[in-house]
Amino acid sequence: MPLSREDVFAKVKEVLVDALGVDEDEVNEKATLTGDLGAESIDFLDIVFRLEKTFGIKIPRGELFPDDILNNPEYVENGKMTAAGLMQLKQTMPHADFTDFERDPDVGKMPNLFTVKTIVNYVAAKVA
Amino acid sequence: MRWIWIDRFAEFESGRRAVAIKNVSLAEEHLHDHFPGYPVVPASLMIEGMAQTAGILVGEARNFAEKVILAKVQRARFEHEVRPGDQLTYEATIERIDDAAAYTVGRVCCNGKPMGEVDIVFSHIDQNLSGLEFPEENFVFTEDFKSLLRTYHIDHR
């Protein structure tokens, strides 16, 4: 039986509580991993590892958390993501909500794309 | 100063599992300060002992080509104090290793009885932290360090 979105969320919550040492009630779908939950770069590796283990899925590097897009000079201009960059990123991350980021594509705000919801969307699509 | 908190390897299965032994002695300077009249091994040094056991295991798995850095102590739990005369055993198992990182789970025994757990995430830093560059030479597994490994008889590869 496929997992419901609620099941996925409950397990993702468990993963984040274990990986980041946060309280359960801090983990809601809107919470950003770095801003709200205090994740650091190494935590992303840890989260990916735990998700793979918990859900029995394989997450290719850069698929859930793309990390190489900012290294492409075509995609960043004056600290903002270019239209081409944004298009590329949206394609890479269909699981993320771009509403706020599109309004102000400041690359410093890119981590805000990585929310609990982003993970739940990603995993839900993967296990469907 | 030698920052080495394991005495020898008792078992070593390449890429999989290692068991190291640490004999606790009152000749260790710090035990006289931690605490005066009541020497106990600091938990932080048991974490270090496991990190060295697991770190060497992880390094050896890739022929010491990667710079293996302790990125995160995922869990550390100890059930009781460890005193001079006790023997600690650190058993580290690689749960997963890939290009970017390695994850180890560790069991600590005191005089043969389970007494704690230390799970660690290591980073292969050249493969991580996009954009940052590190010195070419391997400053984790230096020649000095490798000579130490020879005493553990695990440099044969």
Side-chain angles (χ1 to χ4, degrees):
Chain A
M1 205 179 79
L3 290 173
S4 70
R5 198 187 155 83
E6 286 70 37
D7 296 336
V8 172
F9 174 71
K11 286 186 173 196
V12 165
K13 182 191 267 195
E14 246 175 70
V15 162
L16 294 174
V17 165
D18 284 346
L20 303 175
V22 292
D23 288 335
E24 274 193 25
D25 54 13
E26 288 178 79
V27 185
N28 57 67
E29 294 221 9
K30 279 191 181 155
T32 60
L33 297 183
T34 42
D36 295 329
L37 303 180
E40 293 176 27
S41 61
I42 195 67
D43 294 319
F44 286 87
L45 284 174
D46 190 19
I47 291 166
V48 165
F49 166 64
R50 284 165 184 273
L51 290 172
E52 287 187 338
K53 206 164 106 173
T54 305
F55 292 99
I57 53 176
K58 189 83 200 123
I59 302 177
R61 190 152 180 219
E63 194 176 273
L64 174 55
F65 304 121
D67 57 359
D68 53 357
I69 204 148
L70 297 180
N71 296 338
N72 187 331
E74 273 180 41
Y75 293 161
V76 183
E77 208 175 83
N78 299 325
K80 301 256 183 197
M81 191 157 283
T82 61
L86 200 58
M87 205 153 76
Q88 176 63 32
L89 192 61
K90 278 170 109 169
Q91 232 165 35
T92 317
M93 292 181 71
H95 43 282
D97 179 353
F98 282 87
T99 320
D100 289 339
F101 189 64
E102 265 181 321
R103 247 177 262 140
D104 179 14
D106 185 329
V107 292
K109 291 185 178 159
M110 192 175 143
N112 292 343
L113 289 171
F114 303 132
T115 61
V116 174
K117 188 177 175 185
T118 308
I119 299 180
V120 175
N121 286 348
Y122 175 85
V123 174
K126 202 92 177 167
V127 297
Chain B
M1 186 183 78
R2 295 280 186 196
W3 186 254
I4 295 166
W5 294 99
I6 49 183
D7 295 333
R8 71 177 166 89
F9 280 97
E11 293 175 56
F12 201 93
E13 294 171 50
S14 179
R16 213 182 83 72
R17 175 180 164 272
V19 181
I21 286 170
K22 159 73 184 161
N23 289 310
V24 180
S25 162
L26 206 45
E28 292 167 43
E29 197 81 5
H30 63 276
L31 290 178
H32 296 268
D33 300 314
H34 189 279
F35 301 92
Y38 192 80
V40 292
V41 176
S44 53
L45 288 182
M46 293 193 277
I47 295 173
E48 179 65 25
M50 181 61 81
Q52 294 186 355
T53 307
I56 291 172
L57 177 68
V58 167
E60 197 271 350
R62 301 260 159 138
N63 284 315
F64 299 111
E66 297 288 350
K67 297 175 188 110
V68 176
I69 296 290
L70 186 155
K72 181 169 174 179
V73 176
Q74 189 51 61
R75 178 168 67 136
R77 194 183 62 82
F78 302 105
E79 282 171 18
H80 59 76
E81 293 169 348
V82 177
R83 316 281 312 262
D86 287 340
Q87 184 179 70
L88 287 167
T89 312
Y90 300 113
E91 179 185 359
T93 305
I94 294 179
E95 191 160 329
R96 179 196 160 122
I97 182 165
D98 59 28
D99 288 347
Y103 308 82
T104 62
V105 294
R107 202 164 61 126
V108 185
C109 290
C110 182
N111 303 323
K113 291 192 187 118
M115 71 75 78
E117 284 139 11
V118 184
D119 301 342
I120 297 174
V121 183
F122 292 94
S123 170
H124 290 147
I125 53 167
D126 284 333
Q127 319 291 339
N128 269 311
L129 305 168
S130 53
L132 286 186
E133 283 187 20
F134 296 97
E136 203 167 301
E137 94 184 62
N138 194 325
F139 52 83
V140 183
F141 299 115
T142 58
E143 279 310 308
D144 273 0
F145 190 76
K146 285 183 184 163
S147 79
L148 169 76
L149 296 182
R150 283 191 272 278
T151 71
Y152 292 144
H153 307 296
I154 59 164
D155 70 322
H156 53 280
R157 278 165 205 89

